[in-house]
Amino acid sequence: MPPFKDEHVLIIAPGSQTTLAQLGLPESFTPARLRISTRMFPAEKAGEWEPLKVREKKVRKVVAGVATNGADGGDVEMDDAQEEETIYEEDPSADEGAVYPLQDGRVTNWSCFFALLTHVYNTLSPPFHTPILLIAQPAWTEQDHETLTQFFFEKFKTPAFCLMDSALAVCYAYGVPTATIVDVGYSKCDVTAVNDFLINHLGRGIAISGCGGEGMTQRLLELLESKGFTRDMCEQLKKSNICEVLSPSTPLPEEGDSGKATTNPAAFTSTITNGTLAAARGSIASQGGFASVAGAGPAILEDDLDGNMKDDENDDGVLDVASIVASGKTSEFLAKKEREKAEKAAAKKAAADAAAAPRRLPNSQRVKATLHYDERRSLDDLNGNGKRANEPEIAAEGGDSKRQRTPELIGEGDISSISRKEERRRNRGTSMFVRKDIEVGIERFRAADAGILDQVADSIHRCLLSVPEVGKRSELWDSLIILGNGSKVKGFKDALIATLTSKYLISPSSATIFTSELPSNFSTPLATGANTPQPQSQPQGPLGHHGPGVNPLLLAATTASNPTLAPPGAHQHLHSQLQLQQYHQQQHSSHGQSPTSVKVVKMPEYFSEWKDVGTEEAAFLGAQVAAKVVFIVDQGLSKGFMSRSEYNDLGPQGIHEYGL
């Protein structure tokens, strides 16, 4: 088989709402170049699918040259006649009648899913000698893997095919062999423990329903529907900066909290200063000082304080004028002093301005906030000036009515700039955006209060308890990776870490470690000594010693050169002793039931193109790294992909012996 080239590798990552794809591996791995909605529309012929909604439109066609006066030999008048003609046009913004083949990560409509993959393949138009890497969802079964393998080999005649689990792809992106992957998607959440690039399938949290971004949108709709909010409003609210998921210990702001904030710290400082002066005046008066004269105390104190401040400002220290003049640097010295005075004055002015400026409360302490809602309206409901036909003008944030620019739709227009311009042109011809300002209360903090955080935290705990190697559990707790577009809600990751800490974290204090190292048949010692562990009689060992007998390592060392010195049954007893010690070391080497720390893995910074995009789609980055290793560097030596000849020999069932 000839070697593959970087520009021929095809990567496809299907999701419940968006499918990512890219042809070729760039020198520096970038986000996906093609983003397509994971949906298809039924075509006119049964069993066929279209990528966009096709609408019928009837237009009047003018037919010229129709005779209206047919008298022979007379004058003939030609009039223009009109007849209707049916045309078909694509509506890129329509979602009516769309079929989504992936629900909660599972394929629910194979015909539609195959049509979607074919559309992606035809859009990128790869060459014939193109290997394909497909990111597999955790919910896909082995039969699903075989079905997809057969489809790609039979439909596209690919020379090599690789199926890679999405959790494993995340580990490749972060460059860590052991991690706990929490993928928060559209309507579900997947929790996977990866140990040395091997997925632990036992206890894996697959497609936890209701724990994705759609669950938070539905929760906001449930809270705000009575106030006239629609689903689209709640979706934009969830993606805005004013929607925030607070930690369980953070209280919600109340109506009276906003008034408690000090708007002018300078006034507060002056109040404290006057109170301090009054206290000082009273203290001096009680001692028979000058403040006993009515009205003289405050003035004298204030004058004295002002005098001290002025003395501090003008006191530049004792100067040796003669030495300064003799050095010949008098002008430089005076300039330095003037510069220092100017810097002090500027610093005082800046401090005064900062004190006088009103303090702005953070979003988590504000009771109400404004949502800038962009509503899509068809041109049929708008007049020519971009205003509503039956409603007054809506002012934007700046006070003027502005026509909002239409954002790019997710579609095949992302391939090139020419197609993007065409997409925007078609979209402007059918609809436009109008901005509204809507006030939202504390409901914006309750997007995840329906038990989403608790469900995800419980799934993480169960998943890590199912890891067979107890010593690896603490490392998995310290290697947490939270990603997915559902986790982009402000504060979600911090709130999840806080939930895990409050529910499962134990303090690594000396008492806790001491009691954890005790054998299981001992109870925790009390101060009264009632349950202090007492020595128990142990059965005789092979050499007549109690309990564990002699040191097994010492016994092995003394009898290694002369086995005849060992008593009968000593070797069997030695073997059992070593197994028992190894078992206790595994049980008490670390806290396997509950963690002592929870940490989040940071993504490497050498992928500069991903800094602005975020790490929510890091699985696609890991797919590029894996494709580079499997198809280009390894060339199939480690059975990372299945070739065409191997498919002909083994069939679709052979895919289980290949892959990462």
Side-chain angles (χ1 to χ4, degrees):
M1 179 187 300
F4 300 111
K5 297 181 179 180
D6 291 348
E7 57 270 19
H8 293 166
V9 177
L10 175 60
I11 302 174
I12 304 176
S16 298
Q17 291 292 304
T18 306
T19 297
L20 309 179
Q22 179 171 297
L23 177 61
L25 298 176
E27 184 176 354
S28 179
F29 298 138
T30 61
R33 298 176 181 175
L34 178 63
R35 303 173 61 91
I36 296 181
S37 294
T38 310
R39 67 183 184 185
M40 297 295 286
F41 296 87
E44 288 186 340
K45 187 180 294 186
E48 295 185 358
W49 303 87
E50 296 288 345
L52 297 175
K53 180 68 175 179
V54 179
R55 298 185 182 275
E56 291 186 3
K57 186 176 182 181
K58 293 185 178 182
V59 296
R60 293 183 178 274
K61 184 179 180 181
V62 179
V63 180
V66 178
T68 57
N69 187 2
D72 295 338
D75 295 336
V76 178
E77 296 181 0
M78 306 298 292
D79 293 339
D80 293 338
Q82 294 182 354
E83 62 179 18
E84 290 186 351
E85 181 183 2
T86 302
I87 62 174
Y88 297 91
E89 62 180 7
E90 295 178 345
D91 189 356
S93 61
D95 195 32
E96 179 184 357
V99 176
Y100 290 83
L102 288 179
Q103 300 291 336
D104 291 340
R106 298 179 175 89
V107 181
T108 57
N109 192 324
W110 282 102
S111 176
C112 181
F113 189 53
F114 288 155
L116 174 69
L117 295 176
T118 305
H119 172 59
V120 173
Y121 188 89
N122 294 335
T123 301
L124 295 174
S125 185
F128 182 76
H129 193 67
T130 299
I132 299 176
L133 187 146
L134 180 68
I135 297 297
Q137 293 289 330
W140 292 356
T141 62
E142 293 184 355
Q143 185 178 359
D144 296 341
H145 294 175
E146 296 174 6
T147 304
L148 290 168
T149 302
Q150 182 178 1
F151 172 76
F152 276 96
F153 275 110
E154 300 293 340
K155 178 70 175 180
F156 305 126
K157 311 298 181 183
T158 178
F161 179 69
C162 175
L163 268 174
M164 186 178 188
D165 194 280
S166 59
L168 193 59
V170 174
C171 292
Y172 272 79
Y174 279 78
V176 291
T178 301
T180 303
I181 313 300
V182 183
D183 189 356
V184 185
Y186 173 71
S187 59
K188 50 88 178 178
C189 176
D190 298 315
V191 180
T192 308
V194 180
N195 184 13
D196 293 335
F197 293 111
L198 296 177
I199 296 176
N200 182 44
H201 295 279
L202 182 63
R204 185 180 188 183
I206 298 177
I208 307 172
S209 181
C211 295
E214 179 63 17
M216 289 182 271
T217 303
Q218 293 298 328
R219 177 58 179 167
L220 291 174
L221 181 61
E222 178 184 348
L223 296 172
L224 297 171
E225 189 175 10
S226 60
K227 297 183 179 180
F229 275 67
T230 62
R231 186 196 174 282
D232 186 57
M233 290 181 180
C234 295
E235 183 69 19
Q236 292 193 26
L237 172 62
K238 182 188 69 175
K239 297 178 180 179
S240 65
N241 291 328
I242 65 173
C243 180
E244 186 174 355
V245 179
L246 302 180
S247 302
S249 59
T250 304
L252 294 176
E254 299 179 358
E255 291 291 341
D257 293 345
S258 301
K260 296 179 182 179
T262 303
T263 57
N264 191 355
F268 180 69
T269 306
S270 63
T271 303
I272 294 179
T273 304
N274 294 334
T276 306
L277 291 174
R281 182 176 69 248
S283 176
I284 297 175
S286 63
Q287 298 176 5
F290 57 83
S292 59
V293 182
I300 295 174
L301 271 177
E302 292 174 3
D303 292 343
D304 188 42
L305 292 174
D306 294 340
N308 290 336
M309 293 176 62
K310 292 179 180 178
D311 291 341
D312 292 339
E313 292 178 359
N314 299 326
D315 187 11
D316 295 331
V318 180
L319 303 179
D320 190 355
V321 180
S323 61
I324 296 175
V325 173
S327 63
K329 299 181 179 180
T330 307
S331 59
E332 297 179 2
F333 180 79
L334 294 176
K336 179 181 178 182
K337 288 297 181 181
E338 292 295 334
R339 187 165 57 253
E340 291 178 355
K341 289 183 179 180
E343 291 177 356
K344 290 181 180 180
K348 290 182 179 180
K349 183 178 179 181
D353 295 342
R359 185 180 60 177
R360 180 174 181 144
L361 290 174
N363 178 58
S364 59
Q365 298 180 11
R366 285 184 289 170
V367 178
K368 295 183 179 180
T370 302
L371 168 67
H372 304 298
Y373 171 60
D374 293 331
E375 182 184 9
R376 182 189 294 273
R377 298 296 300 270
S378 63
L379 294 183
D380 296 337
D381 299 335
L382 302 170
N383 58 21
N385 295 327
K387 304 176 182 178
R388 295 175 184 247
N390 300 322
E391 298 181 14
E393 178 180 348
I394 300 177
E397 182 180 5
D400 300 330
S401 178
K402 298 180 181 180
R403 178 174 178 174
Q404 303 299 319
R405 297 187 64 183
T406 304
E408 297 182 22
L409 297 176
I410 299 176
E412 58 182 303
D414 292 322
I415 302 176
S416 62
S417 59
I418 298 178
S419 55
R420 284 199 298 267
K421 293 179 181 179
E422 178 66 19
E423 191 75 23
R424 289 195 295 267
R425 185 192 64 80
R426 291 189 297 176
N427 188 41
R428 283 197 300 266
T430 58
S431 63
M432 65 175 293
F433 284 101
V434 178
R435 171 162 289 189
K436 279 182 175 182
D437 290 343
I438 305 174
E439 195 174 59
V440 188
I442 60 175
E443 295 86 358
R444 68 187 191 274
F445 301 123
R446 302 176 57 188
D449 67 348
I452 294 178
L453 295 175
D454 292 333
Q455 287 183 344
V456 176
D458 293 343
S459 179
I460 295 173
H461 186 248
R462 289 194 302 268
C463 179
L464 297 187
L465 284 181
S466 302
V467 176
E469 299 184 29
V470 181
K472 284 288 186 179
R473 295 177 185 176
S474 60
E475 184 179 355
L476 289 169
W477 279 108
D478 292 338
S479 304
L480 201 64
I481 299 177
I482 305 173
L483 73 160
N485 289 323
S487 65
K488 294 176 69 174
V489 181
K490 184 179 179 181
F492 180 84
K493 298 180 181 179
D494 297 335
L496 180 58
I497 296 297
T499 303
L500 289 171
T501 302
S502 61
K503 294 187 68 173
Y504 303 112
L505 192 69
I506 61 175
S507 175
S509 60
S510 58
T512 305
I513 295 177
F514 170 73
T515 56
S516 66
E517 299 299 333
L518 287 176
S520 58
N521 60 342
F522 285 171
S523 57
T524 305
L526 299 178
T528 59
N531 56 348
T532 302
Q534 300 294 332
Q536 302 176 2
S537 60
Q538 299 291 340
Q540 295 283 333
L543 298 180
H545 296 276
H546 291 280
V550 299
N551 190 337
L553 298 178
L554 178 60
L555 178 63
T558 55
T559 60
S561 59
N562 193 356
T564 58
L565 297 178
H571 294 288
Q572 291 80 358
H573 180 73
L574 175 62
H575 181 67
S576 61
Q577 287 275 359
L578 292 175
Q579 285 185 341
L580 185 61
Q581 286 189 4
Q582 184 180 6
Y583 171 77
H584 283 295
Q585 288 176 2
Q586 291 179 356
Q587 291 295 320
H588 303 291
S589 60
S590 62
H591 295 275
Q593 301 298 326
S594 299
T596 57
S597 62
V598 178
K599 300 179 182 179
V600 179
V601 180
K602 186 179 180 181
M603 189 174 177
E605 298 181 354
Y606 44 78
F607 297 110
S608 57
E609 290 80 0
W610 289 83
K611 290 183 179 179
D612 299 332
V613 178
T615 61
E616 285 76 19
E617 296 177 353
F620 194 83
L621 172 61
Q624 297 180 69
V625 176
K628 181 75 173 181
V629 174
V630 172
F631 293 126
I632 309 301
V633 179
D634 185 70
Q635 292 289 334
L637 295 178
S638 60
K639 292 187 176 181
F641 62 85
M642 188 178 189
S643 63
R644 178 74 185 181
S645 59
E646 293 165 343
Y647 172 78
N648 295 334
D649 296 338
L650 302 176
Q653 295 79 9
I655 191 61
H656 306 304
E657 301 180 8
Y658 298 88
L660 300 173

